[in-house]
Amino acid sequence: MPINSFENYPMSWKPSIDKTKKPIYQAIAGQLEQDILNGVLLPGTKLPPQRELADYLDLNLSTISKAFKVCELKGLLSASVGSGTFVSYDALSNAYLLEDTKPKHLIEMGATLPDNASYEPLLLQLKNMLQETDYEKWFGYGRAGESLWQKDAAIKLIRRGGFETTVDHILFANGGQNAIAATLASLCKPGDRIGVDHHTYPGLKTVAAMLSVQIVPIKSENYEMSPTAFEYACKNDNIKGIYLIPDYHNPTACCMSVENRKEIAAIAKKYNQFIIEDATYHLHNKKPLPAVASFAPEQVIYIASLSKSIAPGLRLAYVAVPSQFKEPISKALYNLNISVSSLLAELAARTIVSNQFEVLIEGHREQTIRRNQVVNRYLADYTCLGTETGIFRWLLLPGKITGAEFEMLAAQQGVQVYAAERFVVGNSCPERAVRVSVCATETLEELERGLIILKRLLNDLT
């Protein structure tokens, strides 16, 4: 212990470690992780300066730095130049992963699911495939040469979402999250940093944590990523790229303006940043806006997933990849996928080429509009962001209750909603809000029962 005593010195964290355990930095990192998980250190807590902590523990500064870096790579800490090191608000986000089974007593209004009443075109297409004389080929391995016409189908779907590309840029993935994982695995090394919105898709967060890729929150204006803040991050935060959901952002249900899309694309080109454009919700708009990729096709990895616009069980995504990234992403997809299901790839392609996908999308849209009208009726007195064609809404809470507190309160009353804390990034402060799924309930009547409960809880808070 140094000569100056720390006995009465105000420090937010005073660890006690066994210095006989080697290496010491791992012991410090382990103690820090346990104190965060056990609630000794709360999200948002500013840790003592590294030099001060080194002096307190009578250790080298480099030992403390290595311990902090271990925890930062795990997503437990968030460091900001000039501000210090904080316990991340999303440090406990792994506790928010989807449960294996939904408790039977809860009305599901948390998971983002399209309605389940519009699948007849898929069923008819599948029946036709299985009645063909060579149906057994759908249960074997697919070959690259056989997918050329399926790539034409991908082009058609992507064009429908607001982006023109060509077959030589198309890759297949087993769903959108698989495509995100392959992209990060191929373009980033452990410790690399990418920028995201303050609240973002939890699947991106879990993939980044698995690959030890750090995610950096970039400031927004009116729920849109700020181009000025993006450029600042390019200059000062050492990021390699960004992840965006421009249309019907998950979870805030907002849509990025065309002007911002152009500006962000221009900045990405200026600083040679890659953009992962998650187009999961592009087809929910009657007339989709131009994709970010249309303004910077050489920088943007465009991921068109079918799970939210056609069917969740159709585990397929089309990925439009710039030439400079195609080889590494293709290799990563092969290593993560091994192969895409021939059955699902053929089913998706036939559904698109026959224009049955338009019937599916329109059917989903009609059901979603009907459900949103019910949401608007019950939650008219509260700020509930989103449009009539969106499958979830972003409900801002009255009073001082947090999203996590409201989620727990709603669950106690029999309704599952998802708190902002599930989506928050780094040291960003979670909004006092919850995401409310519009289409996850099996029936309209069940949705109404859930909304009656939510409205009663909201009224009690005002």
Side-chain angles (χ1 to χ4, degrees):
M1 176 68 71
I3 296 173
N4 295 326
S5 172
F6 283 85
E7 187 174 340
N8 297 313
Y9 188 80
M11 291 176 66
S12 59
W13 187 51
K14 293 184 178 182
S16 177
I17 61 166
D18 183 355
K19 293 184 182 179
T20 63
K21 292 183 178 180
K22 307 293 183 179
I24 294 176
Y25 80 90
Q26 289 186 353
I28 297 171
Q31 181 64 59
L32 184 52
E33 182 172 355
Q34 284 305 308
D35 284 350
I36 291 171
L37 296 178
N38 293 333
V40 176
L41 286 170
L42 299 176
T45 300
K46 184 176 182 179
L47 293 178
Q50 293 183 24
R51 192 174 300 280
E52 192 174 283
L53 198 55
D55 194 18
Y56 171 70
L57 294 172
D58 201 13
L59 294 170
N60 292 329
L61 177 61
S62 61
T63 302
I64 304 298
S65 297
K66 286 176 72 175
F68 275 31
K69 180 56 69 176
V70 168
C71 290
E72 195 174 348
L73 288 174
K74 288 185 176 182
L76 298 172
L77 301 180
S78 180
S80 178
V81 177
S83 298
T85 303
F86 298 81
V87 177
S88 295
Y89 276 99
D90 60 349
L92 303 179
S93 62
N94 285 341
Y96 284 120
L97 293 178
L98 280 175
E99 298 82 1
D100 290 338
T101 58
K102 180 179 77 71
K104 291 189 178 352
H105 69 283
L106 289 183
I107 297 172
E108 177 62 83
M109 297 178 68
T112 53
L113 301 170
D115 76 281
N116 58 7
S118 313
Y119 295 140
E120 188 175 357
L122 277 179
L123 177 62
L124 294 175
Q125 197 69 254
L126 186 59
K127 282 181 177 179
N128 290 336
M129 288 172 58
L130 295 179
Q131 287 171 359
E132 295 175 7
T133 55
D134 57 349
Y135 71 89
E136 67 276 0
K137 67 184 178 183
W138 310 129
F139 301 96
Y141 287 117
R143 298 184 182 277
E146 297 171 351
S147 68
L148 290 178
W149 87 275
Q150 294 174 358
K151 290 187 176 182
D152 287 331
I155 296 298
K156 182 174 181 177
L157 185 92
I158 290 172
R159 182 184 302 121
R160 176 69 171 73
F163 178 44
E164 292 282 350
T165 187
T166 55
V167 292
D168 53 315
H169 291 288
I170 298 297
L171 298 173
F172 291 175
N174 283 316
Q177 190 168 1
N178 180 258
I180 293 169
T183 301
L184 289 183
S186 59
L187 302 187
C188 297
K189 303 186 297 294
D192 281 348
R193 297 154 69 89
I194 64 165
V196 298
D197 291 287
H198 279 188
H199 296 79
T200 196
Y201 169 49
L204 180 276
K205 293 168 61 178
T206 54
V207 165
M210 179 183 71
L211 297 172
S212 295
V213 173
Q214 292 180 257
I215 53 177
V216 178
I218 295 179
K219 290 181 179 178
S220 61
E221 295 175 2
N222 299 319
Y223 292 100
E224 296 183 43
M225 182 180 289
S226 160
T228 303
F230 173 34
E231 184 159 25
Y232 177 89
C234 292
K235 294 177 180 177
N236 299 284
D237 289 335
N238 194 31
I239 61 172
K240 294 191 70 175
I242 56 173
Y243 168 83
L244 291 175
I245 310 175
D247 286 280
Y248 219 81
H249 176 263
N250 184 9
T252 62
C254 290
C255 184
M256 181 178 285
S257 67
V258 174
E259 188 57 40
N260 265 17
R261 295 174 195 231
K262 289 179 180 178
E263 287 190 48
I264 282 176
I267 293 165
K269 288 192 283 190
K270 179 179 177 181
Y271 293 94
N272 194 29
Q273 297 275 311
F274 69 77
I275 297 176
I276 301 173
E277 181 171 6
D278 189 337
T280 297
Y281 302 100
H282 280 206
L283 296 180
H284 288 236
N285 296 322
K286 189 81 172 178
K287 295 181 179 179
L289 296 174
V292 177
S294 62
F295 303 115
E298 68 279 12
Q299 307 296 134
V300 180
I301 299 95
Y302 180 95
I303 301 173
S305 168
L306 307 184
S307 62
K308 301 299 190 289
S309 57
I310 297 181
L314 205 55
R315 302 305 301 161
L316 186 68
Y318 301 127
V319 191
V321 182
S323 299
Q324 63 172 323
F325 302 135
K326 187 175 180 183
E327 184 177 356
I329 293 178
S330 179
K331 288 179 178 178
L333 280 170
Y334 176 79
N335 289 322
L336 290 172
N337 283 348
I338 303 304
S339 65
V340 171
S341 163
S342 299
L343 178 66
L344 293 184
E346 183 73 12
L347 175 59
R350 291 188 183 201
T351 303
I352 294 165
V353 171
S354 66
N355 278 337
Q356 286 299 302
F357 84 107
E358 294 283 10
V359 176
L360 279 161
I361 290 170
E362 188 56 37
H364 285 316
R365 186 181 292 117
E366 289 174 1
Q367 291 287 341
T368 303
I369 290 172
R370 190 172 297 119
R371 285 172 174 251
N372 271 298
Q373 288 170 347
V374 177
V375 173
N376 291 340
R377 190 165 72 244
Y378 280 97
L379 302 183
D381 294 334
Y382 300 95
T383 304
C384 199
L385 304 179
T387 63
E388 63 176 5
T389 58
I391 62 174
F392 58 86
R393 305 285 287 273
W394 188 238
L395 174 63
L396 305 187
L397 300 172
K400 296 183 178 180
I401 193 169
T402 67
E405 290 168 344
F406 188 84
E407 177 181 328
M408 188 179 301
L409 193 62
Q412 289 169 355
Q413 298 299 313
V415 179
Q416 176 72 75
V417 293
Y418 284 174
E421 283 80 353
R422 291 177 180 261
F423 309 95
V424 73
V425 175
N427 62 352
S428 305
C429 187
E431 194 162 22
R432 291 188 302 100
V434 293
R435 190 185 71 187
V436 178
S437 181
V438 174
C439 296
T441 59
E442 292 186 7
T443 65
L444 203 58
E445 291 71 27
E446 188 181 23
L447 173 65
E448 286 205 58
R449 292 201 304 273
L451 288 168
I452 289 169
I453 293 170
L454 293 181
K455 182 178 181 180
R456 186 176 69 243
L457 292 175
L458 291 166
N459 289 344
D460 289 344
L461 294 172
T462 54

